[in-house]
Amino acid sequence: MAVASAAPGSIFYKQLLFCLLVLLLFCDACQKISLQVPSHLQAEALVGKVNLKKCLQSASLIQSSDPDFRILEDGSVYTTRDLTLSSAKKSFSILLSDAQRQEQKKIDIVLEARGKKIPKRHPKDAVLRRSKRRWAPIPCSLMENSLGPFPQHVQQVQSDAAQNYTIFYSISGPGVDKEPFNLFFIDKDTGDIFCTRSIDREQYAEFPLYAYATTIDGYAPEYPLPLLFKVEDDNDNAPYFESKLTMFSVPENCRTGTSVGKVTAIDHDEPDTLHTRLRYKILQQIPDHPKHFSVHPDTGVITTATPLLDREKCDTYKLIMEVRDMGGQPFGLFNTGTITISLEDENDNPPYFTESSYFTEVEENRIDVEILRMAVRDQDLPNTPHSKAVYKILQGNENGNFRISTDPNTNEAVLCVVKPLNYEASDQVVLQVGVLNEAQFSRAPNSQAPTMCTATVTVKVKDTDEGPECQPPVKVIQSKDGLPEGKELLGYKALDPEKRSSEGLRYKKIKDEGNWFEINEHTGDLKTVKTLDRESKFVKNNQYNVSVMAMDAVGRSCTGTLVVLLEDDNDHPPQIDKEVTICRHGKDFAVLEPVDADGPENGPPFQFVLVNSASKLWTLETKDGKTAILRERQNLDYDYYSVPIQIKDRHGLAATYTLSVRVCDCTTPTDCRMTTKLPRDITPSNVILGRWAILAMVLGSALLLCVLFTCFCVTAKKAVKKCFPEDVAQQNLIVSNTEGPGEEVMEANIKLPTQTSNICDTNISVGTLGGQGVKTQQSFEMVKGGYTLDSSKGGGHQTMESVKGVGQGGMDTGRYTYTEWHSFTQPRLGEESIRGHTLIKN
């Protein structure tokens, strides 16, 4: 649902008033509501509130019949301007419309001023009703720039109610109570409307007014009447170009009909009338001959009329143009403007030399020297690719002695010598030089393609006294590998260009890395001072370089290089690494890869042979003539082995080597930590101990020192004090036999001495009897000075002295040897073993 509002004077407002009138004529009255209000109401004051839904449930359009009031969606009524109720009552209607159901309703609103008595009307007032027809709307128009006389009668409005009542007329709107003020007024009694002055349509094209008819007491028997005064246009504005000076550009030599640009003009008179129908015309072209341009009279598009636009003849044209209204008729208003057209340059003029031939001279052997400058002319636009020159030597520079370039500042050709000229070879050089532009040539219509402009340059070479020439700079000679010292080789020969011979030249060696040669000062021949070796580190790709300087009598010199190409001789047998490793858990073989210092023609394929009895433990398999695979015939112990092997090259030159083969428990050779065992062909200097071996040696040495220290302490203590039993009777070696089927005796019957201060105890557990899981333990108590054994056999008591004998009075009784101890205990242990075995059987 929306509330429509419009400003007085707008088109929408006029349409709205018309719709209101139609609704008032055809909609049904819903109810009539009276509201008590003050006699003076300010703008935007709340008059009251009406329940709209009581009349129409869903209204899509809510309008007021009186523009002095506006209605909100909730039924609130507000004033739109300050109002003074001139009569006791003021009435208007609220118009409701439902577009979906196509229903219209209206609510009549009566405003009664508080505290003012409503005058009584004549009895015939009861039959006074608003007419359902419009009251005298008369179409009207005003002429722009009217000359009067003023006030000028415009229109008259009348109300049918004037037949019965006294009616007063009034108007409002632009030209009355709005800008421009006081342009119109109305005779309140007759309804005649007058205009007070002339009107400018370009400022006010129309005037929407409202006419009102009221009675003496302020009652409005008619709705406000909308009036529209339209101002008729007068052709009082001449058209004019948007820009006084307009600039266009077009390429030279363009085709006929090429669009140059479009001019536009403005006319403030009424659009789409004869007053604004414009026509364009070219009045003058400067220069005026020939006529190159034309203009479309209606659109103002300027096009070329000929294909003969040449920038080199005229680069700018001016057009004086006219624009006229009234369709270009002579009585139409007009204006003029200037159009400037610039021609864009095209590369339609080739460059050319100012002279057809040139002459210059230069001394021989000079390089990087400028010898000539040549000027060119080009009619195209300067400092553009259309005029910048590009020079080229067409003939005479087959040896590359010359170079030609362009001076960027002067556009001249600069000829230089970049490679020395030789007077003795040629005393004159003739060059043919051509010139073009950087941009591609653009051929004008009906013209032929131009040819390149050329010029001839003659260069005279001046003779100078010059030094020796080393030609060619590199000379190659051949020699056999292994050539002994004292042998002569043909050396480097230089030439004196003046004499055309080598006479009078002296030679000097300036580079000989291996110092293999000496040079003859007069002939330049070489003589070996060392044996030539192709396999030397100074030889690259079978070549050995010797640099030689040749000098004349005045010290001028040249330098050349003599390359000695050494022919390979089979003087080196194959070489091989003498230490290999076979990892049992990785590759169970070793790959032998010999290297031959000789050339390929004296190298592989190689032959591999096991020497002596090495084939009993090893196998050797040749692979692709360059390598061999060494394997064990059977798994050998982890150790070092010496394997003799012989290797021959393709011509039979052989060498025998003894390989040190390490068979190791590893995956890769670097993981092998096998204890070093030197083969016969390995010296101790080649053995490297690992960190674990070094650690084991250190720990072993420390353990040995601890043992020695302990023994020393025990021996020293025994020497100071011997152990003698205080009560020999209580220190016995007691045998305790406890038998039980399937059980183990866990405690021994040990008789301990009563005093322990002088006793050194040693517990010895001997004898384990087999059979049925029965064990016998015997505990012995060994005392220095006496041993006792409590034997159950015969209940005898026997000491070590009785076994050893007492006749050794001079011996230390506190010490007994292992043999004495063994002879004392072994028979008794045997008896106990037999007795235990007997018990088991029983």
Side-chain angles (χ1 to χ4, degrees):
M1 180 180 293
V3 178
S5 62
S10 66
I11 296 176
F12 179 77
Y13 185 74
K14 302 170 190 175
Q15 295 174 349
L16 177 61
L17 289 177
F18 178 77
C19 293
L20 291 176
L21 291 175
V22 173
L23 288 172
L24 286 172
L25 292 173
F26 295 99
C27 64
D28 297 330
C30 187
Q31 56 182 332
K32 186 175 182 179
I33 299 175
S34 297
L35 299 174
Q36 296 289 330
V37 296
S39 60
H40 179 73
L41 295 174
Q42 293 183 350
E44 299 299 323
L46 178 63
V47 177
K49 190 171 184 181
V50 180
N51 189 353
L52 302 179
K53 292 186 177 181
K54 216 171 184 185
C55 183
L56 187 62
Q57 186 65 28
S58 58
S60 59
L61 181 63
I62 303 174
Q63 296 172 326
S64 172
S65 62
D66 191 339
D68 293 336
F69 301 91
R70 61 186 180 92
I71 316 300
L72 301 185
E73 294 179 0
D74 61 350
S76 299
V77 181
Y78 286 86
T79 59
T80 59
R81 65 185 182 90
D82 292 342
L83 295 176
T84 301
L85 299 181
S86 59
S87 60
K89 293 183 180 181
K90 182 175 180 62
S91 301
F92 65 96
S93 299
I94 298 176
L95 307 177
L96 306 176
S97 176
D98 188 351
Q100 292 182 352
R101 298 181 180 180
Q102 297 184 351
E103 293 182 15
Q104 290 95 21
K105 299 285 185 179
K106 73 173 181 176
I107 302 175
D108 295 328
I109 306 297
V110 178
L111 301 180
E112 297 179 358
R114 300 192 190 105
K116 191 172 184 181
K117 187 176 180 181
I118 301 175
K120 292 184 179 180
R121 291 187 180 274
H122 193 271
K124 64 178 181 180
D125 290 347
V127 297
L128 183 61
R129 296 286 184 271
R130 283 193 177 90
S131 176
K132 290 188 177 181
R133 59 186 178 86
R134 298 178 61 91
W135 54 290
I138 302 173
C140 182
S141 63
L142 301 173
M143 189 64 191
E144 180 186 13
N145 301 321
S146 174
L147 298 179
F150 299 101
Q152 183 179 17
H153 184 268
V154 177
Q155 194 180 43
Q156 183 184 22
V157 293
Q158 290 182 342
S159 174
D160 293 343
Q163 299 176 3
N164 300 320
Y165 301 97
T166 301
I167 298 297
F168 295 112
Y169 300 98
S170 62
I171 58 175
S172 67
V176 182
D177 54 358
K178 295 182 180 179
E179 288 284 349
F181 294 103
N182 302 320
L183 180 62
F184 301 101
F185 70 91
I186 189 171
D187 188 325
K188 69 176 183 176
D189 296 322
T190 64
D192 290 318
I193 302 175
F194 297 90
C195 179
T196 61
R197 58 184 181 271
S198 63
I199 304 171
D200 186 3
R201 191 207 65 85
E202 285 70 43
Q203 188 175 5
Y204 300 103
E206 59 184 15
F207 295 90
L209 303 177
Y210 285 91
Y212 305 94
T214 58
T215 61
I216 296 176
D217 57 0
Y219 175 74
E222 302 285 353
Y223 289 107
L225 177 65
L227 299 176
L228 180 61
F229 293 166
K230 185 175 180 182
V231 181
E232 299 257 347
D233 184 42
D234 181 26
N235 190 22
D236 58 343
N237 291 277
Y240 61 92
F241 291 101
E242 286 185 320
S243 176
K244 287 294 183 182
L245 183 61
T246 305
M247 300 189 67
F248 297 117
S249 62
V250 64
E252 65 173 330
N253 303 320
C254 62
R255 298 178 181 273
T256 302
T258 301
S259 176
V260 178
K262 180 180 180 180
V263 292
T264 56
I266 298 174
D267 194 327
H268 291 296
D269 289 324
E270 188 174 0
D272 301 325
T273 64
L274 193 61
H275 297 166
T276 54
R277 188 178 299 172
L278 307 181
R279 290 292 183 268
Y280 301 91
K281 181 170 66 173
I282 297 176
L283 299 179
Q284 184 183 4
Q285 173 187 300
I286 304 173
D288 60 348
H289 185 78
K291 301 297 183 182
H292 291 296
F293 304 97
S294 62
V295 64
H296 192 284
D298 295 325
T299 62
V301 175
I302 302 173
T303 57
T304 57
T306 66
L308 303 178
L309 291 172
D310 189 353
R311 192 203 65 83
E312 287 70 38
K313 293 181 179 179
C314 180
D315 60 352
T316 303
Y317 292 88
K318 288 186 177 181
L319 302 179
I320 307 299
M321 294 192 64
E322 175 193 271
V323 56
R324 186 183 293 265
D325 61 14
M326 301 299 290
Q329 309 226 5
F331 53 82
L333 303 179
F334 68 93
N335 245 319
T336 60
T338 302
I339 311 298
T340 302
I341 300 176
S342 300
L343 298 187
E344 299 174 356
D345 184 43
E346 295 288 323
N347 189 23
D348 57 342
N349 293 279
Y352 59 91
F353 290 101
T354 56
E355 299 180 21
S356 59
S357 61
Y358 298 85
F359 177 83
T360 185
E361 59 183 12
V362 63
E363 294 181 353
E364 64 174 335
N365 299 320
R366 293 286 302 277
I367 60 172
D368 296 330
V369 58
E370 178 183 320
I371 61 174
L372 181 65
R373 282 179 172 257
M374 296 175 285
V376 295
R377 292 179 181 173
D378 196 323
Q379 296 179 358
D380 290 320
L381 191 64
N383 299 321
T384 65
H386 299 160
S387 62
K388 290 183 178 179
V390 177
Y391 301 94
K392 185 178 181 180
I393 300 177
L394 303 177
Q395 293 180 1
N397 194 31
E398 288 76 11
N399 295 328
N401 298 97
F402 302 93
R403 182 188 66 210
I404 193 167
S405 59
T406 305
D407 188 326
N409 298 321
T410 63
N411 208 30
E412 293 177 323
V414 180
L415 184 64
C416 299
V417 177
V418 294
K419 187 177 178 180
L421 296 168
N422 191 348
Y423 173 83
E424 287 72 25
S426 176
D427 61 351
Q428 179 176 291
V429 180
V430 179
L431 304 175
Q432 186 181 20
V433 180
V435 61
L436 289 173
N437 290 125
E438 290 183 0
Q440 187 176 2
F441 185 79
S442 176
R443 188 175 65 179
N446 302 323
S447 64
Q448 297 180 353
T451 58
M452 179 186 293
C453 182
T454 61
T456 302
V457 180
T458 302
V459 181
K460 182 180 179 181
V461 182
K462 298 170 65 175
D463 185 26
T464 58
D465 187 10
E466 51 193 336
E469 294 181 354
C470 294
Q471 293 294 336
V474 178
K475 182 179 180 181
V476 180
I477 61 174
Q478 290 187 345
S479 175
K480 290 185 178 182
D481 183 18
L483 186 68
E485 58 182 276
K487 298 293 183 180
E488 292 188 358
L489 296 175
L490 184 63
Y492 192 89
K493 301 295 182 181
L495 183 67
D496 189 341
E498 306 297 332
K499 301 178 181 178
R500 309 304 299 173
S501 67
S502 301
E503 184 179 354
L505 299 180
R506 293 178 292 115
Y507 297 91
K508 179 182 179 182
K509 183 180 67 172
I510 59 176
K511 182 181 179 182
D512 181 8
E513 292 181 333
N515 198 23
W516 287 0
F517 301 97
E518 62 181 18
I519 191 169
N520 189 312
E521 183 181 5
H522 301 287
T523 63
D525 292 335
L526 300 179
K527 184 177 181 181
T528 60
V529 295
K530 294 181 180 179
T531 302
L532 304 187
D533 186 7
R534 176 190 159 280
E535 287 73 25
S536 171
K537 64 180 181 179
F538 304 115
V539 177
K540 308 296 183 184
N541 298 325
N542 300 334
Q543 297 178 358
Y544 182 79
N545 298 333
V546 179
S547 297
V548 177
M549 176 185 293
M551 296 177 293
D552 59 10
V554 296
R556 290 172 296 192
S557 63
C558 68
T559 302
T561 301
L562 188 65
V563 178
V564 181
L565 184 62
L566 296 175
E567 299 177 357
D568 185 30
D569 187 21
N570 193 19
D571 55 348
H572 292 82
Q575 304 289 326
I576 195 170
D577 190 0
K578 295 181 181 181
E579 294 185 4
V580 295
T581 301
I582 297 178
C583 288
R584 188 65 56 79
H585 299 294
K587 295 181 180 179
D588 58 347
F589 58 86
V591 179
L592 308 182
E593 296 179 308
V595 178
D596 197 328
D598 294 324
E601 63 277 2
N602 294 318
F606 300 119
Q607 297 180 9
F608 301 86
V609 179
L610 291 170
V611 181
N612 301 330
S613 60
S615 58
K616 294 181 180 180
L617 300 178
W618 307 92
T619 62
L620 194 60
E621 175 186 352
T622 303
K623 187 178 180 181
D624 64 30
K626 296 181 180 180
T627 60
I629 296 177
L630 180 66
R631 299 180 187 270
E632 307 167 81
R633 286 192 177 274
Q634 57 187 1
N635 289 340
L636 302 176
D637 296 336
Y638 298 140
D639 207 342
Y640 283 84
Y641 297 89
S642 297
V643 180
I645 187 174
Q646 185 184 67
I647 306 175
K648 298 180 181 179
D649 61 17
R650 65 166 60 193
H651 297 298
L653 183 61
T656 302
Y657 304 97
T658 301
L659 302 181
S660 175
V661 181
R662 180 175 58 167
V663 180
C664 187
D665 182 15
C666 60
T667 303
T668 59
T670 56
D671 297 335
C672 184
R673 295 292 182 267
M674 188 177 67
T675 304
T676 304
K677 181 178 180 181
L678 301 179
R680 287 176 295 179
D681 59 334
I682 297 181
T683 61
S685 60
N686 294 332
V687 179
I688 300 175
L689 295 179
R691 59 179 181 270
W692 295 110
I694 296 173
L695 181 60
M697 294 173 62
V698 171
L699 293 177
S701 301
L703 183 61
L704 181 59
L705 289 174
C706 291
V707 172
L708 293 176
F709 181 74
T710 303
C711 293
F712 173 77
C713 292
V714 172
T715 305
K717 185 175 181 181
K718 288 179 180 180
V720 174
K721 183 178 181 180
K722 296 183 179 180
C723 297
F724 293 98
E726 297 178 0
D727 188 3
V728 180
Q730 294 181 359
Q731 301 178 28
N732 299 322
L733 185 62
I734 300 173
V735 178
S736 176
N737 294 325
T738 304
E739 294 84 18
E743 296 181 358
E744 181 179 356
V745 179
M746 301 303 296
E747 296 182 358
N749 186 10
I750 303 175
K751 183 179 181 181
L752 299 176
T754 57
Q755 297 181 359
T756 60
S757 58
N758 296 326
I759 298 175
C760 296
D761 296 335
T762 302
N763 294 329
I764 302 174
S765 177
V766 296
T768 301
L769 300 180
Q772 305 293 328
V774 179
K775 296 183 179 179
T776 302
Q777 287 188 346
Q778 294 182 349
S779 297
F780 300 94
E781 189 178 85
M782 183 174 62
V783 183
K784 292 183 179 181
Y787 296 86
T788 61
L789 178 60
D790 185 11
S791 178
S792 59
K793 185 179 179 181
H797 182 77
Q798 190 174 5
T799 65
M800 282 287 292
E801 284 79 358
S802 63
V803 178
K804 182 180 178 183
V806 294
Q808 301 176 0
M811 185 176 293
D812 184 4
T813 59
R815 297 180 183 179
Y816 303 97
T817 65
Y818 173 75
T819 305
E820 295 170 344
W821 168 254
H822 185 271
S823 60
F824 174 77
T825 59
Q826 193 64 26
R828 290 158 181 77
L829 291 176
E831 293 175 1
E832 293 297 327
S833 177
I834 293 172
R835 188 170 64 178
H837 183 64
T838 304
L839 292 174
I840 291 172
K841 286 184 178 181
N842 296 331

